[in-house]
Structure formats: C-alpha cells, structure tokens
C-alpha cells in the first residue's frame, strides 16, 4: 500500500508492508497532525494505538516509516537523532517498522516543528 505524507514545503510517498500496524494506520487515513522534530526525525500523532510487534527495531535506515507505539506516532527518521551513535538513525525506543519512503528522505529536513502534516492514501 502507498501513502502520501505532505507538509507546507513538500511531500513524499511511502510504500507500506503488510503488517498489523500498517493495516491499522491505513484504516485511520486520512490523518492530519502537527509535526514534531527530534534531531533528524519527524514524528506526529496518529490517533492510532497498537501493540509493539515482535520485529520492532530501535536502529533503522534513514527513510524507514516507523510507528512509535509509546506515543501513538508515526516516526520518520532521515538521519541521526539525539540518541544516535555515530551516523545511525536511532529512534527513542523500539518501533514497529511499516515500510519505507519513496524518494529522498532528506526532503523531511524541510519540515518545521509545528508544521501541519497530512497522511492520506497515495
């Protein structure tokens, strides 16, 4: 499944895998939220509450679409965060991996804290 994530300065599409969390997110679309930034990560509330999946990971590749279960939030890392070691993308805690962004994840650098973000089917 593909989703579109848009904000005032740009947009990206993402391809989601067939996971329980991806299905729960898809059922809640469209979602509008206020963006938060944390180092080189954008995250925002989804209003979706799910359990941590068995293959949840804390260190992911830039451009991974992750779901932070502790914050009911979509987490979109594009580089190091305040807890990263070296150049890795380390999330605040283990997150469910939903898929990956299509295109250059560095476009997320144009998202500003408080920007309106919309997620909808692509």
């Amino acid at each position: 499944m593909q989703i579109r994530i848009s904000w005032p300065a740009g947009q990206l599409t993402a391809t989601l895998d067939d996971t329980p969390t991806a299905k729960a997110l898809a059922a809640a679309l469209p979602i509008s939220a206020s963006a938060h930034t944390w180092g080189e990560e954008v995250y925002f509330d989804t209003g979706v509450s799910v359990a941590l999946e068995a293959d949840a990971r804390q260190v992911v590749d830039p451009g991974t679409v992750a779901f932070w279960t502790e914050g009911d939030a979509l987490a979109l890392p594009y580089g190091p965060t305040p807890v990263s070691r070296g150049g890795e993308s380390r999330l605040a805690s283990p997150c469910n991996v939903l898929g990956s962004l299509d295109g250059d994840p560095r476009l997320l650098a144009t998202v500003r804290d408080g920007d309106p973000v919309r997620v909808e089917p692509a």
Side-chain angles (χ1 to χ4, degrees):
M1 179 184 77
Q2 284 201 307
I3 59 171
R4 177 180 300 106
I5 303 159
S6 54
W7 61 96
Q11 69 173 21
L12 281 166
T13 58
T15 302
L16 302 185
D17 300 326
D18 189 15
T19 70
T21 303
K23 288 177 184 170
L25 180 70
L29 296 180
I31 294 169
S32 294
S34 187
H36 302 283
T37 57
W38 189 58
E40 294 187 2
E41 175 188 309
V42 173
Y43 69 98
F44 48 89
D45 182 56
T46 62
V48 174
S49 186
V50 295
L52 200 61
E53 293 178 13
D55 61 351
R57 299 195 329 254
Q58 187 170 9
V59 177
V60 297
D61 292 330
T64 297
V65 177
F67 192 91
W68 183 40
T69 59
E70 293 174 28
D72 295 340
L74 215 51
L76 307 171
Y78 59 92
T81 66
V83 296
S84 291
R85 298 178 188 138
E88 70 184 8
S89 290
R90 181 179 291 266
L91 304 167
S93 57
C95 292
N96 295 342
V97 173
L98 305 189
S100 59
L101 296 170
D102 308 319
D104 185 358
R106 305 274 327 155
L107 283 173
L108 290 168
T110 64
V111 178
R112 298 287 165 248
D113 205 56
D115 274 355
V117 178
R118 182 170 169 86
V119 183
E120 58 197 340

